[in-house]
Each structure stands twice: as structure tokens, then as C-alpha cells.
Amino acid sequence: MTDILSDPDRAEKLAPLLDTGWAETEGGAAIAKRFKFPDFTQAFAFMTRVALHAEKMNHHPEWTNVYRTVEVILSTHDAGGLTDKDIKLARKMDEAAPHA
Amino acid sequence: MTDILSDPDRAEKLAPLLDTGWAETEGGAAIAKRFKFPDFTQAFAFMTRVALHAEKMNHHPEWTNVYRTVEVILSTHDAGGLTDKDIKLARKMDEAAPHA
């Protein structure tokens, strides 16, 4: 099992994600971001790219799609908070949506 | 624009959907269903099939995926309620997930 991030590790790894629009939520147990695309096709293409990464990592987002927006929540439920898996998946999402 | 379903039309068209697990929500302005799959891959494969239909129909669901579940809400916001587009998309979803 992946361990929850230690406080210094967390601060260091979260900082760049907060800069790209991620926010802490659920009392710090999760991070969330709202991605907005030009249209549904691009929103769903993003989801497809991320789905492949998520399955490969065996770490899956909670996400809601409404037309051209995708709202994502990341947390490691087994660990009860944020782990490296969430950081990695958040980075992959930002890579998959450089302009969203 | 597609018109809201008339009461008799609505009753007739909703009945078979209620039998497959759809429920009226938002004061009757929407229908919702929770699909559950064996795993994430199958949940996302369902979403992919539905996404292609949705884009073709130019009518899109509000949907949330958490691992192997997909929760869907259908409504025609332009019309302010349920229309034939929602009925059609609901049927397509049931066809795309015969066992979910």
C-alpha cells in the first residue's frame, strides 16, 4: 500500500499542482480540479487518455463530466488521504490537458 | 428545439425505462440511473460507447464515474425538462450496458 504523504513531502509536491489549478479538498484528504475544454469531444478525449493512465497505475479518479467540463477529485481511499499516486495522476492529467 | 414530452407521451415512454432502473429526479425534469460494472475498464468502455452516441445526437449526459460505477443524469436543459432526446439516449445507454 502507498503511504500518505508526509507533511514536508506533501507541501513540496502539492505546490506546483496548486499553481496549475488543483485545490485541496475533503479536509486535505483529496485534491480537485475543474478542467474546461472547447467542446465535448475534447473533454472526452482527455478522459480517454487519462483512463488509460489510471488503469495502468491501478489508481482511478472520481470524475464528473458535463458537456465540455470535467471535474476531478483525487484521493487514495485505501490510505485515507493523499499519496504519491494522486500526485502522479494529477500530473498526468495536467499533461493530458495543457490548455484546460 | 426539441419539445418537452407531453404527459401521456412521457408516461408511455418512461415506463420501460423505469423498469430498467431509471428514476425520475429534479422534480421530473430529469432521469437518473446508476450503472455498475465488473471493473473500471468495463465502466469506461461503456462511457466511450455512449460518448460516441451522445456526440452524434448532439445531446450529452451529466455523468460521474467512480471506479466501476457510472451515475448518469439526463435532461434537456434548453427545453427545461425531459424530451425525446433523453429517452433515446437512455435507451442507448441501456443497450450499451445490458447487464449493468
Side-chain angles (χ1 to χ4, degrees), chain B residues 2-21:
Chain B
T2 312
D3 290 332
I4 290 190
L5 294 172
S6 66
D7 285 347
D9 207 19
R10 177 188 175 99
E12 184 189 330
K13 288 174 176 169
L14 273 186
L17 292 174
L18 300 177
D19 283 345
T20 67

Side-chain angles (χ1 to χ4, degrees), chain A residues 1 16 21-22 26-27 33 36 40 56-57 60 65 75 83 88 90 96 98-99:
Chain A
M1 198 178 88
W22 291 90
E26 296 177 17
K33 183 172 174 179
K36 195 163 188 175
F40 173 77
K56 199 169 168 183
M57 291 176 63
H60 303 84
N65 162 237
S75 184
T83 68
K88 279 182 196 160
H99 308 297

Side-chain angles (χ1 to χ4, degrees), chain A residues 40-41 44 47-48 51 54-55 58 60-67, chain B residues 40-41 44 47-48 51 54-55 58 60-67:
Chain A
F40 173 77
T41 300
F44 201 78
M47 292 181 78
T48 304
E55 184 61 14
N58 193 27
H60 303 84
E62 173 178 340
W63 48 2
T64 297
N65 162 237
V66 181
Y67 194 49
Chain B
F40 174 76
T41 300
F44 201 77
M47 292 181 78
T48 305
E55 185 61 14
N58 193 27
H60 303 84
E62 173 179 339
W63 49 1
T64 298
N65 163 238
V66 182
Y67 196 48

Side-chain angles (χ1 to χ4, degrees), chain A residues 18-52:
Chain A
L18 299 178
D19 283 346
T20 67
W22 291 90
E24 296 179 75
T25 180
E26 296 177 17
I31 50 174
K33 183 172 174 179
R34 185 167 187 265
F35 293 89
K36 195 163 188 175
F37 299 88
D39 56 28
F40 173 77
T41 300
Q42 291 182 60
F44 201 78
F46 163 75
M47 292 181 78
T48 304
R49 284 191 295 271
V50 171
L52 300 179

